[in-house]
């Protein structure tokens, strides 16, 4: 085999409950991930040494060097198996960069699966998931897709049942938001409100039973009623312009509007695919329709 292409989905958080800041600086999360049908592709081709190239939306904002999460994934996999990372990685980007949709994490999961297949390593699911967790909190979910509850930093996953299809519209904002900056702003706002920002101050985050039931039930209207994102006030504080985008989606008929993860992408849940198309048209050329749940990383060829 000389080349392997893997397709990997973006995610939206249908619940993002953020606990207090831990002594290690991370936050405990109850993070309900839903994979959505916006995909990057990662192609691994046999080569003499590790190189990385890319094309597609926002590619100018993606570092095409050893700091790329896909390159880090290839290096970590090769190290685990005691081999050299002899591969050319090519990323076809369609997931917004720094948009709160786990695009970098998707590429890392895609590169792991593509390299594992190219190099014929046959790593177990457990080995791949543990490498994913080392690479980043959202990477394990990019590998498995569907819907899952992530606890800890978000990397400890339990798959969730989904009883239907959820049509979404996503509007990527120009300029990204740094995820660590959004967490810092969340802490700052909590201190400003007098709530404190440590694990001693903030109740431990838990998954909302009503939200898990809504996912199982498969009704967009029921899910829309229980969507939450504890990072949304921080994202809006850093990017006040997002409020107008959220309001425009609601005015265009969305059942619910929220910031995706740490933002700045805005996510709109629609009643059905026709409604999603109408909302996307109203929101303009930056809007994209995508249905959920989508499968995780899959080898295409
Ligand atoms: P999350 O939702 O997991 O918090 P995000 O979607 O907000 O992440 P990413 O698209 O993963 O953000 O990008 C965050 C930063 O990571 C980018 O600004 C970029 O510099 C860097 N990065 C490294 N590798 C990649 C990659 N393969 N694709 C995109 N960004 C990458």
């Amino acid at each position: 085999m000389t080349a392997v292409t893997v397709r990997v989905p973006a995610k939206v958080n249908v619940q993002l409950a953020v606990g207090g800041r831990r002594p290690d600086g991370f936050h405990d999360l109850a993070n309900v991930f839903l994979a959505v049908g916006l995909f990057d592709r990662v192609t691994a081709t046999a080569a003499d040494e590790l190189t990385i190239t890319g094309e597609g939306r926002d590619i100018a904002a993606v570092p095409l060097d050893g700091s790329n999460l896909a390159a880090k994934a290839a290096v970590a996999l090769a190290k685990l198996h005691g081999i050299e990372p002899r591969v050319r990685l090519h990323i076809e980007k369609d997931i917004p960069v720094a948009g709160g949709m786990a695009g970098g994490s998707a590429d890392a999961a895609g590169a792991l699966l593509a390299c594992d297949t190219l190099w014929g390593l046959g790593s177990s699911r457990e080995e791949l998931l543990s490498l994913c967790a080392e690479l980043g909190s959202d990477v394990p979910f990019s590998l498995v897709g569907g819907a899952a509850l992530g606890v800890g930093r978000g990397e400890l996953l339990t798959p969730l049942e989904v009883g239907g299809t959820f049509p979404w519209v996503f509007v990527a904002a120009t300029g990204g938001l740094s995820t660590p900056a959004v967490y810092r702003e969340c802490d700052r706002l909590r201190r400003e409100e007098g709530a404190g920002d440590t694990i001693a101050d903030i109740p431990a985050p838990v998954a909302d039973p009503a939200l898990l039931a809504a996912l199982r039930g498969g009704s967009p209207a029921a899910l829309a009623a229980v969507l939450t994102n504890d990072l949304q006030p921080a994202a809006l504080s850093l990017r006040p312009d997002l409020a107008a985008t959220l309001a425009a989606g609601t005015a265009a008929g969305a059942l619910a509007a929220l910031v995706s993860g740490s933002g700045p992408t805005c996510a709109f849940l629609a009643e059905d695919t026709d409604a999603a198309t109408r909302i996307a048209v109203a929101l303009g050329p930056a809007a994209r329709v995508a249905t959920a749940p989508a499968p995780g990383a899959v080898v295409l060829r």
Side-chain angles (χ1 to χ4, degrees), residues 11 61-63 67-69 91 93 96-105 107 138 179 262:
K11 60 84 182 163
V62 176
S67 71
N68 193 294
L69 275 177
I91 299 174
K93 244 194 160 355
V97 174
M101 299 193 76
S105 303
D107 298 344
D138 290 350
T179 304
S262 54

Side-chain angles (χ1 to χ4, degrees), residues 59-78:
I59 198 67
V62 176
L64 295 175
D65 58 23
S67 71
N68 193 294
L69 275 177
K72 288 185 177 173
V75 169
L77 180 69

